Amino acid sequence: MQEGYINFISLFIKIENVVIANGDERWTETDMIAQTLRIESNAKGQKNKKRVIGLMSGTSADGIDVAAVEIEGHGSATRVQLIAFDTVPFPPGVQDSILALCQPDTGRVDKICEMNFRLGHLFADAVKHLLDTHGIPARDIALIGSHGQTIHHLPKAPYPSTLQIGEPAVIAHQTGIPTIADFRVADMAAGGQGAPLVAYPDYLLYRDEHETRGLLNIGGIANITVLPANCTLDAVAASDTGPGNMAIDAVVSEITDGAERFDTAGQRAARGTPYLPLVEKWLTHAFFAQAPPKTTGREMFGITFAQACLAQCRAQGLDDDACVATVTELTVQSIAQYVKQFVSVGEPSRSRCPSVGETPQPQPPSVGEPSQSRHPSVGETSQSQLPVGEPSQSRCKIDRLYISGGGTQNQTLMRRLAQIFPDSTVLPVENSDAKEAIAFAILANEALHGQAGNVPSATGASVRKVLGKFVYP
């Protein structure tokens, strides 16, 4: 076997004749090695190619993205080809149940316990659906990488922690395929924030010798990876920027009493006019001024935040579409502000942008410009933020800005991003809906080879870590 496989199996087999109970069967060391040989046999004569499935359910909790990919190599030699992709919606009621678990006042330990296993079955069903639909034999799949479903994320708690559910033992048993899951906790154990983890797959797949590239994923939360031209891993910048679709979806649901769950193609936002003074006020939220590495989630920008935004819109007499347009503009402006404040500080350079976590050097104000030393009060425009409605004046030019996630379906968001980054080519990434599921297939492959999958400059971890927990079927 290749050294990577030997290293990986040694993580689980420390002594001879280890026996692990597994339902009606019992796995011995020989069984484990045989299963690993099955994984390697898929690659024999194929330049170390294997087929891996990635599973992802994001903060919107509206369904399961499942991607089957063929991966060749690992580390910097990784090459990936998408074989099949589906989004499998959750059965009726599951989304509401998940969102209730995300709230401290409605999340119950018995419901969390049960949903952990229910989601395991739903993830397994999604895998079987993909395989059946596309005629892929399960025996051809070497490995599953499952992100699971985040229900709470507390990077700033006294004991920083995160919780993703969707039991991998159920996935492995129901599919018969080895499964790696629970990727975020190893990074957090090393002092990181457990996110964004897509920074490493982005680096492997999208770095370019000549172009500085941005990878902006707009899911429930928006996050961006910046890959300076010809960069090394320690120059990669990545962070959450703030709300993506989350606040938009919640406002749409509130104004329609649940009849609509999102702004279809951004049509409501397109009909409305954003009320910019509110956007300016919301941009003074402490998260936007916080230096990276930083992550956020439903705890900060979920239903409570959205309801407060909607109430303030109503207090200004805004109609439904104007309310949606205003929270949509918040997503656009928070992304632009992040790029301006934390990525584009410094002298122009095509070879290197500041890494996330690097302390921005203060710039002297122009004549008549207010000093940037004072923290803004609530309702006052931060002096470090991008003036609302103006293009981003990026001094470290992002040549190409790729967009992925559900936000690519929102034409108003896409149009505004192209306007706010006029010096960048803004376009959807190829297979944009599949991008995050593909990322967790890659992270599972890295773990299989004993390779670290986090980027400390993005997450704040003290060291690079192999991510994920392995479950045999």
mmCIF file of all heavy atoms in Angstrom, residues 30-46:
data_model
loop_
_atom_site.group_PDB
_atom_site.id
_atom_site.type_symbol
_atom_site.label_atom_id
_atom_site.label_comp_id
_atom_site.label_asym_id
_atom_site.label_seq_id
_atom_site.Cartn_x
_atom_site.Cartn_y
_atom_site.Cartn_z
ATOM 1 N N THR A 30 -7.584 -7.257 10.115
ATOM 2 C CA THR A 30 -7.524 -7.749 8.743
ATOM 3 C C THR A 30 -8.661 -7.175 7.913
ATOM 4 O O THR A 30 -8.475 -6.782 6.755
ATOM 5 C CB THR A 30 -7.590 -9.284 8.731
ATOM 6 O OG1 THR A 30 -6.533 -9.792 9.525
ATOM 7 C CG2 THR A 30 -7.473 -9.815 7.300
ATOM 8 N N ASP A 31 -9.869 -7.117 8.519
ATOM 9 C CA ASP A 31 -11.006 -6.544 7.808
ATOM 10 C C ASP A 31 -10.741 -5.091 7.441
ATOM 11 O O ASP A 31 -11.068 -4.629 6.351
ATOM 12 C CB ASP A 31 -12.276 -6.617 8.667
ATOM 13 C CG ASP A 31 -12.720 -8.044 8.945
ATOM 14 O OD1 ASP A 31 -12.581 -8.879 8.042
ATOM 15 O OD2 ASP A 31 -13.198 -8.302 10.062
ATOM 16 N N MET A 32 -10.170 -4.346 8.407
ATOM 17 C CA MET A 32 -9.918 -2.922 8.179
ATOM 18 C C MET A 32 -8.935 -2.732 7.030
ATOM 19 O O MET A 32 -9.137 -1.896 6.150
ATOM 20 C CB MET A 32 -9.362 -2.280 9.452
ATOM 21 C CG MET A 32 -10.360 -2.181 10.583
ATOM 22 S SD MET A 32 -9.582 -1.414 12.020
ATOM 23 C CE MET A 32 -10.975 -1.395 13.149
ATOM 24 N N ILE A 33 -7.863 -3.523 7.062
ATOM 25 C CA ILE A 33 -6.861 -3.395 6.010
ATOM 26 C C ILE A 33 -7.456 -3.808 4.662
ATOM 27 O O ILE A 33 -7.198 -3.180 3.631
ATOM 28 C CB ILE A 33 -5.610 -4.214 6.349
ATOM 29 C CG1 ILE A 33 -4.926 -3.613 7.591
ATOM 30 C CG2 ILE A 33 -4.641 -4.251 5.177
ATOM 31 C CD1 ILE A 33 -3.749 -4.412 8.089
ATOM 32 N N ALA A 34 -8.301 -4.841 4.677
ATOM 33 C CA ALA A 34 -8.950 -5.260 3.439
ATOM 34 C C ALA A 34 -9.817 -4.143 2.885
ATOM 35 O O ALA A 34 -9.870 -3.912 1.670
ATOM 36 C CB ALA A 34 -9.788 -6.509 3.690
ATOM 37 N N GLN A 35 -10.514 -3.441 3.786
ATOM 38 C CA GLN A 35 -11.359 -2.334 3.329
ATOM 39 C C GLN A 35 -10.495 -1.226 2.741
ATOM 40 O O GLN A 35 -10.837 -0.620 1.727
ATOM 41 C CB GLN A 35 -12.174 -1.795 4.500
ATOM 42 C CG GLN A 35 -13.145 -0.692 4.125
ATOM 43 C CD GLN A 35 -14.269 -1.191 3.241
ATOM 44 O OE1 GLN A 35 -14.742 -2.313 3.383
ATOM 45 N NE2 GLN A 35 -14.685 -0.370 2.301
ATOM 46 N N THR A 36 -9.358 -0.951 3.367
ATOM 47 C CA THR A 36 -8.462 0.072 2.848
ATOM 48 C C THR A 36 -7.864 -0.353 1.509
ATOM 49 O O THR A 36 -7.689 0.456 0.601
ATOM 50 C CB THR A 36 -7.346 0.367 3.864
ATOM 51 O OG1 THR A 36 -7.946 0.730 5.100
ATOM 52 C CG2 THR A 36 -6.470 1.513 3.387
ATOM 53 N N LEU A 37 -7.569 -1.670 1.378
ATOM 54 C CA LEU A 37 -7.080 -2.167 0.102
ATOM 55 C C LEU A 37 -8.131 -1.995 -0.993
ATOM 56 O O LEU A 37 -7.806 -1.743 -2.153
ATOM 57 C CB LEU A 37 -6.689 -3.640 0.230
ATOM 58 C CG LEU A 37 -5.362 -3.905 0.951
ATOM 59 C CD1 LEU A 37 -5.210 -5.382 1.242
ATOM 60 C CD2 LEU A 37 -4.189 -3.388 0.140
ATOM 61 N N ARG A 38 -9.412 -2.128 -0.605
ATOM 62 C CA ARG A 38 -10.484 -1.864 -1.571
ATOM 63 C C ARG A 38 -10.379 -0.440 -2.091
ATOM 64 O O ARG A 38 -10.540 -0.170 -3.279
ATOM 65 C CB ARG A 38 -11.846 -2.076 -0.899
ATOM 66 C CG ARG A 38 -13.011 -1.479 -1.691
ATOM 67 C CD ARG A 38 -14.232 -1.323 -0.801
ATOM 68 N NE ARG A 38 -15.244 -0.510 -1.465
ATOM 69 C CZ ARG A 38 -16.344 -0.077 -0.883
ATOM 70 N NH1 ARG A 38 -16.559 -0.354 0.393
ATOM 71 N NH2 ARG A 38 -17.218 0.644 -1.542
ATOM 72 N N ILE A 39 -10.121 0.522 -1.176
ATOM 73 C CA ILE A 39 -9.980 1.914 -1.583
ATOM 74 C C ILE A 39 -8.811 2.060 -2.545
ATOM 75 O O ILE A 39 -8.906 2.692 -3.586
ATOM 76 C CB ILE A 39 -9.783 2.820 -0.350
ATOM 77 C CG1 ILE A 39 -11.045 2.812 0.515
ATOM 78 C CG2 ILE A 39 -9.415 4.234 -0.763
ATOM 79 C CD1 ILE A 39 -10.869 3.510 1.841
ATOM 80 N N GLU A 40 -7.688 1.399 -2.199
ATOM 81 C CA GLU A 40 -6.512 1.537 -3.063
ATOM 82 C C GLU A 40 -6.712 0.822 -4.389
ATOM 83 O O GLU A 40 -6.241 1.282 -5.430
ATOM 84 C CB GLU A 40 -5.275 0.996 -2.358
ATOM 85 C CG GLU A 40 -4.001 1.256 -3.156
ATOM 86 C CD GLU A 40 -2.768 0.736 -2.460
ATOM 87 O OE1 GLU A 40 -2.896 0.100 -1.424
ATOM 88 O OE2 GLU A 40 -1.677 0.974 -2.983
ATOM 89 N N SER A 41 -7.454 -0.301 -4.364
ATOM 90 C CA SER A 41 -7.608 -1.061 -5.598
ATOM 91 C C SER A 41 -8.343 -0.258 -6.659
ATOM 92 O O SER A 41 -8.136 -0.456 -7.857
ATOM 93 C CB SER A 41 -8.370 -2.359 -5.321
ATOM 94 O OG SER A 41 -9.720 -2.091 -5.012
ATOM 95 N N ASN A 42 -9.196 0.655 -6.238
ATOM 96 C CA ASN A 42 -9.883 1.514 -7.200
ATOM 97 C C ASN A 42 -8.898 2.381 -7.976
ATOM 98 O O ASN A 42 -9.204 2.860 -9.060
ATOM 99 C CB ASN A 42 -10.894 2.419 -6.492
ATOM 100 C CG ASN A 42 -12.075 1.644 -5.969
ATOM 101 O OD1 ASN A 42 -12.396 0.583 -6.477
ATOM 102 N ND2 ASN A 42 -12.717 2.172 -4.941
ATOM 103 N N ALA A 43 -7.736 2.628 -7.371
ATOM 104 C CA ALA A 43 -6.767 3.525 -7.977
ATOM 105 C C ALA A 43 -5.702 2.792 -8.785
ATOM 106 O O ALA A 43 -4.938 3.407 -9.493
ATOM 107 C CB ALA A 43 -6.088 4.355 -6.884
ATOM 108 N N LYS A 44 -5.638 1.445 -8.658
ATOM 109 C CA LYS A 44 -4.580 0.707 -9.337
ATOM 110 C C LYS A 44 -4.637 0.911 -10.838
ATOM 111 O O LYS A 44 -5.687 0.784 -11.456
ATOM 112 C CB LYS A 44 -4.697 -0.783 -9.023
ATOM 113 C CG LYS A 44 -3.794 -1.211 -7.884
ATOM 114 C CD LYS A 44 -3.758 -2.713 -7.770
ATOM 115 C CE LYS A 44 -2.763 -3.141 -6.698
ATOM 116 N NZ LYS A 44 -2.742 -4.597 -6.555
ATOM 117 N N GLY A 45 -3.516 1.246 -11.398
ATOM 118 C CA GLY A 45 -3.456 1.438 -12.832
ATOM 119 C C GLY A 45 -4.142 2.698 -13.310
ATOM 120 O O GLY A 45 -4.298 2.901 -14.499
ATOM 121 N N GLN A 46 -4.597 3.537 -12.380
ATOM 122 C CA GLN A 46 -5.305 4.757 -12.771
ATOM 123 C C GLN A 46 -4.633 5.994 -12.186
ATOM 124 O O GLN A 46 -5.282 6.987 -11.912
ATOM 125 C CB GLN A 46 -6.755 4.687 -12.293
ATOM 126 C CG GLN A 46 -7.540 3.523 -12.844
ATOM 127 C CD GLN A 46 -8.964 3.535 -12.313
ATOM 128 O OE1 GLN A 46 -9.641 4.561 -12.308
ATOM 129 N NE2 GLN A 46 -9.417 2.399 -11.848
#
